[in-house]
Amino acid sequence: APQMYYDFDTSKAVMVESVLRTYAGKKGKVPLYVRAKEMQQVSNNQWVAKSARVSTSTFATPDLAIGSSNLTITREEDGNSYIQSKHNTIRFGGVPVFYWPYYAGKAQQIPIHRLNYGYKKTMGSFIETEWDLFTLMGVPEPSGIAVDLRLDGYKKRGGGIGFDIKHRTTNSEGKLDLYFLSDAGEQKTSSGREMFVPEHQRGYALWSHEAKLNPYWNIQSQFSYISDPTFTSVWRQKDFKSRREYETSIYAKYQK
């Protein structure tokens, strides 16, 4: 830090405009840089910071960072870095674009799982994100269940929200994908055809499940609802080209 202030009454020091470097995970392969207006080391393995930004970049203004009004980072005995933070924002080049109030968890388990942004002729500027819902809410993930929240925005087209839910038990596993899109304007299908959006309220509900009832019986079920015929060829082009046909069915097999 360029400046430090020591309080003789409390025997504590404050560093301003400071930078802390540590690592995420036991093996220390991912560097973490914490930049803060104020920072204190409160014990051998714990730091607290105000107006902090966390990133994996050495740049003072990284391309992608997480900002927090208050942050505590603790190095645990197992080698992991544990973070508690309030009033968090995802920042692109220093500009906040998404807010969530509280986070508590390992440094390598930040809630954002996927980030895609750019520009397309038929969509304009866009941003697509995927978040770990339980981590975002600051609650432990239940055993056998994972829920991702999708939040997307398209300047020329609209916005979308969805949930990817996966569950697993000893004898079964399944997946439920839900997505709703408020769409408008002109679209281009995977075949190159340009046309106006046929339905403004679009989306899908896709469910698949497999259960092994006993050593001999196996049941596979699936349910598929897609709002209109062109949705998949525009918004899920990879699936449109290579995935098997979506269907609603039950398949039961007895084998001995």
Side-chain angles (χ1 to χ4, degrees):
Q3 297 177 8
M4 289 186 188
Y5 298 91
Y6 189 80
D7 187 335
F8 290 95
D9 292 334
T10 61
S11 297
K12 290 183 178 181
V14 176
M15 295 176 288
V16 296
E17 303 299 337
S18 51
V19 180
L20 167 68
R21 178 176 177 174
T22 183
Y23 292 90
K26 299 178 182 179
K27 298 180 181 179
K29 293 183 178 180
V30 181
L32 285 180
Y33 294 89
V34 182
R35 296 170 175 84
K37 288 186 177 180
E38 293 184 16
M39 188 180 296
Q40 286 183 300
Q41 184 176 12
V42 295
S43 66
N44 287 336
N45 66 331
Q46 189 176 78
W47 296 76
V48 295
K50 295 181 180 180
S51 299
R53 299 187 311 276
V54 182
S55 72
T56 59
S57 171
T58 58
F59 292 108
T61 305
D63 291 335
L64 176 63
I66 297 177
S68 302
S69 63
N70 294 277
L71 179 143
T72 301
I73 182 167
T74 306
R75 191 73 168 175
E76 298 181 324
E77 294 181 358
D78 61 5
N80 286 306
S81 295
Y82 187 82
I83 287 180
Q84 291 176 289
S85 57
K86 296 179 180 179
H87 301 299
N88 307 286
T89 54
I90 293 290
R91 295 170 174 261
F92 295 141
V95 179
V97 296
F98 184 83
Y99 168 85
W100 77 98
Y102 178 74
Y103 170 68
K106 295 178 181 179
Q108 65 268 35
Q109 293 177 335
I110 61 173
I112 186 166
H113 282 177
R114 176 177 174 268
L115 171 66
N116 184 32
Y117 60 96
Y119 176 87
K120 289 185 179 180
K121 181 181 177 181
T122 58
M123 300 179 184
S125 303
F126 69 88
I127 180 170
E128 299 171 331
T129 64
E130 191 169 316
W131 306 81
D132 185 316
L133 185 61
F134 293 116
T135 303
L136 195 65
M137 296 170 60
V139 298
E141 183 176 278
S143 177
I145 299 178
V147 182
D148 281 356
L149 169 67
R150 290 184 56 187
L151 296 173
D152 305 327
Y154 307 91
K155 186 175 182 180
K156 289 185 178 180
R157 303 290 291 277
I161 181 173
F163 294 92
D164 294 342
I165 305 169
K166 298 178 182 178
H167 68 88
R168 180 189 294 269
T169 64
T170 305
N171 299 316
S172 68
E173 61 179 274
K175 182 178 181 180
L176 175 63
D177 287 353
L178 303 171
Y179 192 75
F180 171 78
L181 177 70
S182 179
D183 200 357
E186 190 174 349
Q187 66 178 8
K188 185 176 182 179
T189 67
S190 61
S191 64
R193 181 186 177 190
E194 295 184 358
M195 56 184 292
F196 284 103
V197 173
E199 299 285 343
H200 294 304
Q201 310 303 322
R202 314 176 78 184
Y204 55 81
L206 308 172
W207 175 73
S208 61
H209 184 264
E210 183 172 356
K212 191 172 183 65
L213 302 183
N214 56 47
Y216 309 120
W217 274 106
N218 189 57
I219 296 180
Q220 298 174 345
S221 351
Q222 53 185 323
F223 169 81
S224 301
Y225 167 78
I226 301 173
S227 60
D228 58 90
T230 61
F231 182 88
T232 308
S233 69
V234 174
W235 293 103
R236 296 180 68 114
Q237 291 191 2
K238 184 178 179 180
D239 289 351
F240 179 77
K241 292 178 180 179
S242 59
R243 190 190 186 277
R244 70 184 188 278
E245 184 180 9
Y246 289 104
E247 62 181 26
T248 298
S249 63
I250 296 178
Y251 172 74
K253 182 178 72 171
Y254 177 82
Q255 180 174 331
K256 185 176 181 180

